[in-house]
């Protein structure tokens, strides 16, 4: 038997969804001049098919739930260890309950900064955004999304080692497979 919360919880992102997520990485500065790293995830605008905004929003709410991010007006929630930096600069983003991780674009300076800083501002947009959007379009997307509640955020930590995140993912899968759990 499942509770109402478990029954309505969105499923973990499937490999096909993880593969089509747009990720944008950047370094920025606080008002005080401190550097921080940011990662924005959005749904890629379909090339040939019509867009169903409601379906995209539902999908991205599922992504947001699997990362633990929340509306900006709830403050910056700590979403735990979500990123791992592997040899060669490979960076993976891990989702709760998903067997696969999102491989982020290789950017040596970003990888070096997150490895040293240990934290990333993680944002999930509820609307689609073209994979070829200009920096000005991305800035507008972020500003508008923040003002209208269409951007969910959290502070993600970088795992001390790739093994830490792997153990967490295995434990989450085991919990998900317990008898009586909704799948």
């Amino acid at each position: 038997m499942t509770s109402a919360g478990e029954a309505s919880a969105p499923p973990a992102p499937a490999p096909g969804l993880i593969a089509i997520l747009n990720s944008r990485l950047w370094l920025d500065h606080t008002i005080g001049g401190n550097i921080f790293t940011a990662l924005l995830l959005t749904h890629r605008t379909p090339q040939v098919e019509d867009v169903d905004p409601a379906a995209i929003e539902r999908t991205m709410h599922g992504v947001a739930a699997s990362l633990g991010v929340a509306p900006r007006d709830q403050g910056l929630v700590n979403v735990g260890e979500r990123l791992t930096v592997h040899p060669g600069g490979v960076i993976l983003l891990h989702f709760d309950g998903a067997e696969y991780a999102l491989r982020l674009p290789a950017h040596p300076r970003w990888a070096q900064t997150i490895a040293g800083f240990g934290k990333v501002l993680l944002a999930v947009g509820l609307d689609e955004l073209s994979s070829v959007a200009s920096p000005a379009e991305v800035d507008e997307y972020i500003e508008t999304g923040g003002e209208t509640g269409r951007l969910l955020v959290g502070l993600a930590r970088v795992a001390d080692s790739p093994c830490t995140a792997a153990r967490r993912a295995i434990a989450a899968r085991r919990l998900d497979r317990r008898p009586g759990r909704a799948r």
Side-chain angles (χ1 to χ4, degrees), residues 53-70:
I56 289 174
E57 181 177 353
R58 280 190 305 276
T59 298
M60 295 311 291
H61 269 294
V63 170
S66 71
L67 291 169
V69 295

Side-chain angles (χ1 to χ4, degrees), residues 47-110:
Q47 297 293 319
V48 291
E49 56 199 55
D50 290 333
V51 174
D52 178 2
I56 289 174
E57 181 177 353
R58 280 190 305 276
T59 298
M60 295 311 291
H61 269 294
V63 170
S66 71
L67 291 169
V69 295
R72 191 174 74 170
D73 63 359
Q74 292 182 17
L76 191 58
V77 295
N78 181 342
V79 299
E81 291 180 338
R82 294 286 174 193
L83 296 124
T84 53
V85 180
H86 298 261
V90 173
I91 304 168
L92 299 177
L93 174 67
H94 303 274
F95 303 86
D96 286 343
E99 292 185 42
Y100 299 93
L102 174 63
R103 183 176 181 160
L104 298 173
H107 191 288
R109 186 163 177 231
W110 199 81

Side-chain angles (χ1 to χ4, degrees), residues 22 44-51 129-132:
N22 278 331
R44 186 176 303 159
T45 302
Q47 297 293 319
V48 291
E49 56 199 55
D50 290 333
V51 174
L129 180 65
S130 172
S131 59
V132 296

